[in-house]
Amino acid sequence: WQQYPPNNNGLPFGPHPHRGFETVTFILEGDLVHKDSGHGASQIKAGGVQWMTAGKGLVHAEVSSEDFKTNGGPLEILQLWLNLPAKYKMMEPRYIGLQKEDIPTSELDDGKVIVNAVSGNWNGVKGPIDPLYDIELASINLKEGGTASFAVPKQKNILLYVVKGDVNVNDRDVTMHQLVKFGNDDESIDVKAKTDAIILFGHATPFREPFAAYGPFVMNTREEINQAYEDYNSGLFGTNDLN
């Protein structure tokens, strides 16, 4: 979280390349302007999400809007990198920008818990993103005292990250900016908010492939990383001029 003054320069993430994975970006406060060499573009405001599949490679920029740079204000953004199975690493890139109103919600515990469904099925509510594999991802807003339980199949890996506030997860206290680690043991995930809180929660079946990551690329082998650099330097990802 940062507070920007009026007449600021905004975010510094100008044109840069990616290949072989996806970025999922949650705009918690402020805004984020996205442009990429595959012609994806949008300005996403607080509460929205960007889901970009880099695939075989693109160049993108993540910057602040002119309005934000002029007026300033709070800014908080969280980005996940999602590895892609080998069969999708060289697919055509794609980009989806969702505003807050594009993300369906469901209520638990008499409205004390709001589940914002991004991908997968949450309490009968389907997220607007159709992922390439079985990842189910949501942001969850909890009022103090709110409780929720989630059953996750044994074979899946689980992500639970506390963005804000304090919660209790399966009888363990967890505070802001902590990641909860789970085993693959088919346990129920029971969450209770000790204060107002926001968590990111998701799960997916691991695909257990060789893994190589360096800089802005995530591939299966070091040779593929080297090839990504060669292809980018040869201009195969598109231009850095995103104006």
Side-chain angles (χ1 to χ4, degrees):
W1 183 92
Q2 291 180 304
Q3 179 74 33
Y4 280 68
N7 301 313
N8 66 81
N9 293 322
L11 290 171
F13 306 120
H16 57 281
H18 288 306
R19 171 181 280 181
F21 68 103
E22 300 181 288
T23 62
V24 183
T25 309
F26 293 82
I27 297 84
L28 303 170
E29 293 192 71
D31 65 23
L32 184 62
V33 174
H34 169 98
K35 297 179 181 179
D36 67 53
S37 56
H39 307 296
S42 68
Q43 176 184 339
I44 302 300
K45 298 180 180 180
V49 174
Q50 297 178 343
W51 192 302
M52 185 188 79
T53 305
K56 68 179 184 179
L58 49 63
V59 176
H60 81 146
E62 299 159 299
V63 297
S64 301
S65 69
E66 291 303 318
D67 179 69
F68 184 85
K69 288 189 284 188
T70 298
N71 297 310
L75 181 66
E76 184 172 11
I77 293 172
L78 190 151
Q79 185 173 90
L80 304 177
W81 285 23
L82 306 181
N83 191 20
L84 283 171
K87 64 182 179 180
Y88 294 128
K89 284 191 177 292
M90 297 299 287
M91 67 176 284
E92 289 294 325
R94 69 178 188 179
Y95 169 79
I96 300 171
L98 302 171
Q99 303 291 1
K100 180 179 180 179
E101 55 268 25
D102 299 324
I103 301 172
T105 63
S106 61
E107 294 186 0
L108 301 173
D109 195 12
D110 296 324
K112 294 180 181 178
V113 178
I114 305 296
V115 180
N116 306 288
V118 177
S119 69
N121 192 301
W122 296 88
N123 308 310
V125 175
K126 184 179 182 299
I129 300 293
D130 289 319
L132 294 164
Y133 49 105
D134 72 336
I135 184 167
E136 300 191 52
L137 188 61
S139 65
I140 302 176
N141 298 69
L142 303 101
K143 294 292 186 182
E144 181 177 352
T147 63
S149 294
F150 303 94
V152 180
K154 183 175 181 179
Q155 71 272 19
K156 293 194 174 188
N157 288 347
I158 298 169
L159 166 74
L160 195 158
Y161 178 74
V162 182
V163 179
K164 291 184 179 181
D166 298 315
V167 299
N168 182 280
V169 181
N170 289 7
D171 297 322
R172 291 179 292 174
D173 289 339
V174 188
T175 192
M176 184 171 68
H177 299 166
Q178 289 186 331
L179 181 71
V180 183
K181 183 178 180 180
F182 297 92
N184 298 91
D185 50 15
D186 207 22
E187 66 179 322
S188 173
I189 312 301
D190 300 318
V191 182
K192 181 175 181 178
K194 300 177 68 178
T195 68
D196 289 355
I198 300 173
I199 65 173
L200 295 185
F201 184 63
H203 47 82
T205 304
F207 36 84
R208 306 192 189 285
E209 295 177 346
F211 177 83
Y214 190 82
F217 307 126
V218 181
M219 303 300 292
N220 294 106
T221 67
R222 181 66 196 196
E223 291 73 22
E224 291 172 337
I225 294 289
N226 294 338
Q227 187 64 54
Y229 275 100
E230 290 182 21
D231 291 348
Y232 170 63
N233 291 328
S234 298
L236 297 183
F237 285 27
T239 178
N240 279 354
D241 183 5
L242 300 178
N243 294 323

